[in-house]
Amino acid sequence: MRRVLSILSFQVMKRIAINQASFTQHLLYEDLDPIAIRDLLLPLLDDPHRKICTAIGMAVASIAHYDWPEDWPDLLPSLMKCITDQTNMNAVHGALRCFALVSADLDDNMVPKLVPVLFPCLHTIVSSPQIYEKPLRMKALSIVYACTSMLGAMSGVYKTETSAMMSPMLQSWINQFSSILEHPVQSEDPDDWSIRMEVIKCLNQFLQNFPSLMESQFGVFMGPLWQTFVSSLGVYTRSSIDGIEDPYDGRYDSDGAEQSLESFIIQLFEFLLTILGIPKFVKVVGNNVKELVYYTIAFMQTTEQQVNAWSVDANQFVADEDDNTYSCRASELCMPTLGHDICMLSDSSILEFMLSLTSAKTRFRESQQEKASGASGWWRMREATLFALASVSEQLLEAEAPEITKVRVNEYPFLYARIFSSIAKFSSMVSQGLIEHFLYAAVKALGMDMPPPVKVGASKVDCLLPQASDETMHLVLETLQEAVKAGPDLVVSIEPVLLSIILICGLRMLLILLSALMLLEFRLPWCEISIIGELPNLEILKLLSRAFEGDRWEVKDAEFPKLKYLKLDNINFSQWSISDDAFPELEYLSLTKCERLEEIPSHFGEAMCIKSIEVNRCGSSVANSALEIQTTQHEEMANDAFTVTIQPPDWDTRSSL
């Protein structure tokens, strides 16, 4: 009978979705009216079979979408009665499941009526572990999260009302959250991870939506949160990094909620990022940044799963290196973002600390000690340290420089892959000698029988070539030549890198000598034009048919030092600004069909070498600015030879039509 009614409930739900007004006409049992159906569904919420209970809950939630509260005033009292019945845990589960579905569809009219009544009951469930099991407490927390999210959406318009609603309940909830977080994280216990994750999600909502109210509570939960953060590292290390415990990847509860260790760790770091994003709480984190960075680096170690996957499939290693997404490493996105946010803190002492890398050096020394003791995983912490800090010191890389040229990489391929990719990112902060040292080692590694990850890392240092001296460029090419001679079969595997290096070397010489350049329909962003602006001998530049795109072109100091002729034809930009020291030798400027351009920069009015400006089919404001430049050149610069040509000649008449 229960199964029949559960199927019937699905039919009801579908009919309501299709046509609320006529759904009773399509029922299997014609003598049942909407009220009778609702009365039949509610008692079934205590079904011990969770799938049937979920089906009933979905049906109740679907009907409630249309009928509650106006046409179904008994729904809330009935569900509240089930929730408070400590003698019937199935009824509690069914009512919570139903509330969870209903809470996802609440509006700003329902939430103020529901929260004051529901939250105290939910608090009783969450704070009574001796009566309610963790799955029920988790479900209660998920409802708190959904309702708080809706309150947050309302707070923009009803800030005073929502704050007044939450203020009396805030202290008790924060105390309860703290009591859950203050205990050490348990190994191989998905329920423990999940309830902490729900607590952290709720805290995240509280902090984002009610920062003023949370300011007085911040010190209450930060200690327990730190306990969870620190103790979770041990569990994460044993489960994901060392692979000796089960991380329960892909584990879901009966309601479809994820219970893996990975999802818990990601949620934990998302909350830390929220804290860093709120100025009121940044100082608290800043006072403990040394410890935060110290533990964060440990979370960034390569996991056992990644080692196995990358060792078998080099393409996966390439994909994971380039893909900025969350992963089991818990560092692909949230960890670098955390480090970036720490560096952006306004407190100068924090920035100085980051530059000194005290925590990173501590982790680095620990990896050396593990290596000396013979630990097989010593390289993980060192690789994580290199990966973690975008502003790593030159000394950190110099410690690797003597070993890297020995190319002893087969034993620890991922460490040396990270070293190569790191030097590519840190090139602006290290010495010329160190850059050339690593460049030579990378090219040498490409020419030898190295593991694929090492070749992937070494291939990334080709970006260092533009900074290398002429002697190093010759050395790189000679090394590649010898490698090709020694192993012709190797050319196929390193062909992309080989071509890249050859092209960079050749282009470097070509660009130095380049005197004229025309670009057509490249549609590049204006920020890329700075590369062209640095060409030392460029005299003629023609940008045609949307060679660059964007509203604004900013020409920086000392750009285009030798340019004499500039033509812009059908370039879609509206604003053009020029620094005082740019275009020092420009003589001729031609503008054609730059219809969105507002005006020619007044910079040319005081230019020393300018001889003429030509305006073809541009707006009247462009033509007017050209005439103003002519006036300035004639009257203030005494440059009577300067000319302006405007086509068509009757532009002023046409523009007024």
Side-chain angles (χ1 to χ4, degrees):
M1 180 61 182
R2 290 177 182 270
R3 291 183 180 275
V4 172
L5 287 175
S6 68
I7 294 172
L8 176 62
S9 68
F10 272 123
Q11 296 294 327
V12 172
M13 182 175 62
K14 290 180 181 178
R15 297 305 180 188
I16 291 175
I18 295 172
N19 188 343
Q20 180 198 5
S22 61
F23 82 95
T24 55
Q25 300 175 10
H26 302 278
L27 290 177
L28 183 61
Y29 302 100
E30 295 180 358
D31 57 335
L32 294 179
D33 60 17
I35 297 176
I37 293 171
R38 295 196 297 255
D39 292 342
L40 281 171
L41 290 176
L42 285 177
L44 298 178
L45 285 173
D46 68 346
D47 195 293
H49 298 89
R50 293 298 169 86
K51 291 185 178 179
I52 294 178
C53 180
T54 298
I56 299 297
M58 292 175 65
V60 171
S62 297
I63 298 173
H65 175 75
Y66 297 98
D67 292 359
W68 183 76
E70 289 82 3
D71 297 331
W72 199 358
D74 296 336
L75 175 60
L76 182 57
S78 299
L79 293 178
M80 296 299 297
K81 182 179 179 181
C82 292
I83 283 182
T84 56
D85 187 359
Q86 297 184 359
T87 64
N88 188 349
M89 290 298 144
N90 290 326
V92 175
H93 176 270
L96 287 175
R97 179 61 176 149
C98 189
F99 266 127
L101 294 168
V102 170
S103 63
D105 198 30
L106 295 175
D107 59 27
D108 55 4
N109 291 321
M110 298 179 185
V111 171
K113 302 174 184 177
L114 183 62
V115 168
V117 179
L118 181 59
F119 270 34
C121 296
L122 296 177
H123 186 274
T124 299
I125 294 174
V126 175
S127 61
S128 305
Q130 71 281 7
I131 300 175
Y132 301 96
E133 296 179 349
K134 284 180 180 177
L136 291 178
R137 297 165 67 206
M138 285 186 287
K139 188 60 63 181
L141 287 167
S142 70
I143 299 169
V144 173
Y145 169 79
C147 292
T148 309
S149 300
M150 187 63 213
L151 286 173
M154 295 170 54
S155 62
V157 178
Y158 304 104
K159 183 177 181 180
T160 303
E161 292 82 355
T162 54
S163 296
M165 185 184 303
M166 286 298 298
S167 182
M169 300 182 286
L170 194 64
Q171 180 71 62
S172 60
W173 277 112
I174 297 300
N175 290 339
Q176 186 54 45
F177 293 159
S178 300
S179 68
I180 294 173
L181 297 176
E182 66 184 0
H183 302 289
V185 177
Q186 300 300 303
S187 297
E188 298 184 304
D189 188 349
D191 286 341
D192 180 65
W193 308 335
S194 297
I195 195 169
R196 292 174 191 267
M197 183 165 59
E198 293 298 334
V199 166
I200 291 170
K201 287 170 63 177
C202 290
L203 277 172
N204 207 340
Q205 284 297 316
F206 281 26
L207 207 61
Q208 291 184 64
N209 299 328
F210 307 103
S212 298
L213 294 178
M214 288 291 288
E215 190 170 5
S216 62
Q217 303 295 327
F218 194 75
V220 177
F221 69 81
M222 271 308 296
L225 178 68
W226 184 254
Q227 171 67 15
T228 288
F229 177 69
V230 173
S231 62
S232 66
L233 175 59
V235 177
Y236 184 76
T237 299
R238 294 189 297 272
S239 299
S240 296
I241 297 174
D242 295 337
I244 59 177
E245 293 181 358
D246 191 350
Y248 289 88
D249 290 335
R251 167 75 176 264
Y252 296 86
D253 64 15
S254 60
D255 292 328
E258 190 173 2
Q259 291 188 301
S260 68
L261 180 62
E262 173 191 353
S263 58
F264 162 58
I265 296 298
I266 289 174
Q267 192 65 53
L268 181 58
F269 273 93
E270 281 189 343
F271 184 47
L272 290 174
L273 292 177
T274 297
I275 295 174
L276 289 173
I278 300 177
K280 292 181 179 180
F281 309 124
V282 164
K283 188 174 182 180
V284 177
V285 179
N287 293 335
N288 299 278
V289 69
K290 179 179 179 180
E291 292 79 9
L292 179 59
V293 172
Y294 177 80
Y295 286 105
T296 299
I297 291 173
F299 275 103
M300 298 181 67
Q301 296 177 84
T302 307
T303 66
E304 186 66 17
Q305 178 183 343
Q306 286 178 315
V307 170
N308 294 334
W310 293 346
S311 299
V312 173
D313 186 359
N315 292 326
Q316 186 62 49
F317 176 72
V318 175
D320 288 347
E321 283 289 282
D322 294 337
D323 186 19
N324 290 325
T325 58
Y326 290 122
S327 73
C328 58
R329 186 169 184 164
S331 61
E332 297 293 335
L333 181 59
C334 55
M335 302 297 183
T337 305
L338 176 63
H340 174 269
D341 284 357
I342 291 173
C343 289
M344 292 297 104
L345 297 179
S346 58
D347 192 329
S348 60
S349 64
I350 296 176
L351 182 58
E352 291 171 1
F353 168 76
M354 286 299 294
L355 294 175
S356 67
L357 297 175
T358 303
S359 297
K361 291 179 181 179
T362 301
R363 287 299 191 189
F364 196 80
R365 286 195 298 268
E366 290 174 358
S367 72
Q368 290 177 317
Q369 294 169 0
E370 290 183 4
K371 180 181 179 182
S373 67
S376 60
W378 68 270
W379 60 272
R380 294 179 191 264
M381 192 65 75
R382 186 174 298 188
E383 188 267 349
T385 304
L386 292 172
F387 181 59
L389 304 173
S391 57
V392 69
S393 67
E394 183 173 331
Q395 291 74 19
L396 192 61
L397 285 172
E398 285 178 340
E400 296 299 331
E403 287 193 58
I404 199 69
T405 51
K406 301 176 184 177
V407 203
R408 295 169 51 251
V409 297
N410 286 282
E411 193 172 358
Y412 312 109
F414 300 114
L415 169 62
Y416 286 93
R418 176 62 55 204
I419 292 173
F420 280 129
S421 61
S422 295
I423 186 64
K425 294 181 179 180
F426 310 146
S427 59
S428 63
M429 303 184 66
V430 297
S431 67
Q432 184 72 20
L434 191 59
I435 286 176
E436 298 186 355
H437 185 92
F438 274 92
L439 183 59
Y440 171 71
V443 173
K444 188 175 180 181
L446 288 171
M448 300 179 67
D449 184 18
M450 293 291 110
V454 178
K455 291 185 180 293
V456 171
S459 68
K460 295 182 178 181
V461 303
D462 58 3
C463 66
L464 302 179
L465 283 168
Q467 305 175 50
S469 64
D470 292 340
E471 292 77 9
T472 300
M473 298 279 274
H474 288 298
L475 181 61
V476 166
L477 292 174
E478 289 175 1
T479 304
L480 283 176
Q481 183 181 24
E482 294 301 319
V484 171
K485 288 180 180 179
D489 295 338
L490 183 65
V491 175
V492 176
S493 63
I494 65 170
E495 181 178 359
V497 180
L498 190 65
L499 291 175
S500 176
I501 293 176
I502 293 173
L503 284 173
I504 290 174
C505 292
L507 284 174
R508 177 174 174 177
M509 299 304 298
L510 177 63
L511 292 177
I512 291 176
L513 301 174
L514 191 67
S515 62
L517 178 65
M518 181 175 69
L519 297 179
L520 174 69
E521 294 185 350
F522 276 82
R523 297 178 182 268
L524 298 170
W526 283 112
C527 60
E528 300 292 343
I529 201 171
S530 294
I531 299 174
I532 299 174
E534 295 174 358
L535 299 178
N537 294 304
L538 185 65
E539 296 183 356
I540 299 173
L541 177 61
K542 298 180 180 181
L543 304 180
L544 312 179
S545 298
R546 298 193 173 186
F548 287 85
E549 284 195 336
D551 289 334
R552 186 178 183 85
W553 178 17
E554 296 184 8
V555 185
K556 301 176 183 178
D557 284 336
E559 287 188 343
F560 302 98
K562 297 292 183 180
L563 194 68
K564 299 183 182 301
Y565 178 87
L566 175 62
K567 179 179 180 63
L568 305 178
D569 189 335
N570 196 21
I571 300 299
N572 189 27
F573 72 123
S574 59
Q575 297 181 345
W576 187 12
S577 63
I578 302 174
S579 296
D580 292 340
D581 296 333
F583 296 120
E585 298 185 9
L586 189 70
E587 297 178 359
Y588 302 97
L589 173 63
S590 174
L591 302 173
T592 300
K593 294 182 180 179
C594 297
E595 298 173 354
R596 293 183 60 232
L597 183 62
E598 296 174 0
E599 63 178 2
I600 303 173
S602 59
H603 164 87
F604 294 112
E606 299 178 355
M608 300 296 295
C609 298
I610 193 76
K611 294 181 179 179
S612 73
I613 294 178
E614 180 181 349
V615 178
N616 297 312
R617 294 178 174 83
C618 297
S620 59
S621 61
V622 173
N624 283 328
S625 62
L627 294 176
E628 291 175 2
I629 291 172
Q630 183 181 44
T631 300
T632 303
Q633 282 286 331
H634 288 174
E635 297 180 359
E636 298 183 15
M637 304 298 293
N639 183 11
D640 295 334
F642 175 80
T643 61
V644 170
T645 304
I646 299 174
Q647 295 292 339
D650 58 342
W651 61 268
D652 53 340
T653 304
R654 296 187 178 202
S655 62
S656 62
L657 294 179

